[in-house]
Amino acid sequence: MQEKEHRILVINPGSTSTKIGVFDNEMAILEKTIRHDTDKINEFPNIIDQYEFRKDMILQTLDEEGINISKLSAVCGRGGLLKPIEGGTYNVNEEMLKDLREGYSGQHASNLGGIIAYEIATGLNIPSFIVDPVVVDELAPIARISGLSQIERKSIFHALNQKAVARRVAKELNKKYEDLNLIITHMGGGITVGVHQNGKVIDVNNGLHGDGPFSPERAGTVPAGDLVELCFSGDYYRDEIMKKLVGQGGLVGYLGTNDAIKVEEMIENGDETATLVYDAMAYQIAKEIGGASAVLHGKVDAIILTGGLAYGKGFVKAISERINWIADVVVQPGENELQALAEGALRVLKGEEKEKTYPGQVKNKATV
């Protein structure tokens, strides 16, 4: 019997662009990046005010590409900064819309994904979803303890890509994601190392402005005492310190660029500082993976390297040589976010997975 075809529109809003895709089951029939004029974007007082403008641009683009939206089965948007929730595919409901509009955990362009998905889907009388937002929180209680009672470790990571590659690798291994122990490292502008145990990310570094390896533009874990001294030196405002940690840290702070290709060119031209710093980033990633293996008592089915930096063969080799004794290293370069969104919606439409209702059981703070 022929498999039923589900046509899914997926929406991934960024700061100055909106990526869209149309999928017939797992097959992409359209992937497009809609670029927005910066001056036009700046006309809106708040990010959330852009939703009508972006929705119209999406519908216009679909029309120009000859996509008949009446044939859609569902619309799936990138999840935004919501309450901490467990991973999965969530139907967009009123409470989610409220938290997206208000920016429960902050204002970000990704907050528009669920809103636009809902607006388009409602007009077509079809379901709207989000999948594995960055606030996915499945941390074990022990992983929340920071060492300072006023501060709890938070789960903010590349959940969409990590969960998607976990399922793909599980399929390749002829196993279920829920039956595996995996260490997955997303390596992009930020770097997160997730400990996946039986389908849950029980530990992960905060990839936004927390701990972990330094990255192309983030400082990662830095010596706490020295950071305090820097904060109270009188030389910097609060915003300047935050920029040093997020945006101007990592490769940018040392080498003046967040472009790994440029750094590799610098290394090829004999730049010793670039060589040392790039090797240090690989070293810190490997060290984080080694620590993650301890969480799983060394029982690791596979280590997965993904994200944009995973295209760098030399960089991947430098990491793999330090950690391939733990488990086989699988390389899945890129982010493939549109595909991941479509796959999340498709699992629900095909009845392979139940949709979840937001917010479900919101994770509570750790208590000591």
Side-chain angles (χ1 to χ4, degrees), residues 44-331:
F44 297 97
N46 301 298
I47 289 173
I48 216 66
D49 298 322
Q50 300 170 17
Y51 90 89
E52 193 77 48
F53 162 72
R54 294 208 193 208
K55 184 187 80 168
D56 291 344
M57 291 286 288
I58 291 168
L59 294 174
Q60 179 183 326
T61 301
L62 292 172
D63 185 54
E64 291 170 353
E65 295 291 335
I67 300 294
N68 182 353
I69 63 171
S70 68
K71 294 183 178 180
L72 293 175
S73 305
V75 187
C76 187
R78 181 71 186 270
L81 298 177
L82 294 158
K83 294 182 175 77
I85 52 177
E86 67 178 7
T89 299
Y90 287 77
N91 65 301
V92 182
N93 59 19
E94 289 297 332
E95 186 165 355
M96 182 188 293
L97 291 170
K98 177 177 177 291
D99 285 347
L100 289 172
R101 290 183 180 119
E102 292 178 358
Y104 180 89
S105 296
Q107 293 289 347
H108 190 271
S110 61
N111 290 8
L112 295 164
I115 297 171
I116 298 172
Y118 178 83
E119 291 283 337
I120 294 175
T122 300
L124 298 169
N125 198 28
I126 57 176
S128 55
F129 304 110
I130 65 162
V131 181
D132 292 326
V134 295
V135 293
V136 164
D137 185 344
E138 299 166 340
L139 293 187
I142 198 169
R144 299 181 188 278
I145 306 300
S146 71
L148 193 62
S149 61
Q150 295 90 340
I151 297 176
E152 179 187 83
R153 291 187 68 239
K154 294 182 176 67
S155 177
I156 300 178
F157 72 111
H158 304 90
L160 180 64
N161 188 41
Q162 286 207 22
K163 292 270 189 177
V165 297
R167 290 187 178 95
R168 286 178 205 140
V169 170
K171 193 173 183 180
E172 290 172 7
L173 296 172
N174 292 316
K175 293 187 177 181
K176 291 183 178 180
Y177 168 46
E178 292 77 13
D179 294 334
L180 293 173
N181 286 348
L182 304 168
I183 298 172
I184 304 180
T185 302
H186 178 106
M187 306 182 297
I191 294 173
T192 54
V193 180
V195 181
H196 296 241
Q197 183 180 55
N198 304 128
K200 301 289 185 185
V201 185
I202 62 170
D203 202 346
V204 67
N205 62 295
N206 180 338
L208 183 59
H209 48 68
D211 46 6
F214 73 81
S215 75
E217 54 191 39
R218 295 171 196 176
T221 300
V222 295
D226 293 331
L227 179 60
V228 171
E229 292 292 335
L230 200 64
C231 290
F232 289 91
S233 66
D235 295 332
Y236 303 99
Y237 291 108
R238 179 185 181 278
D239 289 350
E240 291 175 310
I241 291 290
M242 286 302 297
K243 283 181 181 178
K244 282 186 172 294
L245 296 176
V246 183
Q248 296 175 1
L251 295 185
V252 173
Y254 285 104
L255 304 174
T257 181
N258 63 0
D259 188 335
I261 295 174
K262 288 183 179 178
V263 174
E264 289 175 355
E265 289 173 356
M266 293 165 70
I267 292 169
E268 288 175 8
N269 293 329
D271 189 318
E272 292 182 2
T273 301
T275 301
L276 177 62
V277 171
Y278 210 47
D279 284 348
M281 188 163 71
Y283 169 86
Q284 287 198 5
I285 292 169
K287 192 165 69 167
E288 190 80 12
I289 292 170
S293 71
V295 175
L296 295 169
H297 302 274
K299 297 175 182 177
V300 183
D301 293 298
I303 296 168
I304 305 171
L305 303 179
T306 184
L309 291 177
Y311 285 110
K313 292 182 180 179
F315 189 68
V316 165
K317 182 181 178 184
I319 298 167
S320 299
E321 287 176 343
R322 291 185 182 274
I323 48 92
N324 57 15
W325 57 272
I326 300 169
D328 289 342
V329 179
V330 180
V331 183

Side-chain angles (χ1 to χ4, degrees), residues 1-6 24-26 346 349-350 352:
M1 189 170 70
Q2 189 174 3
E3 183 182 33
K4 182 179 179 182
E5 186 174 278
H6 297 283
D24 283 346
N25 290 352
E26 294 93 348
L346 186 61
L349 293 174
K350 291 169 70 174
E352 297 174 355

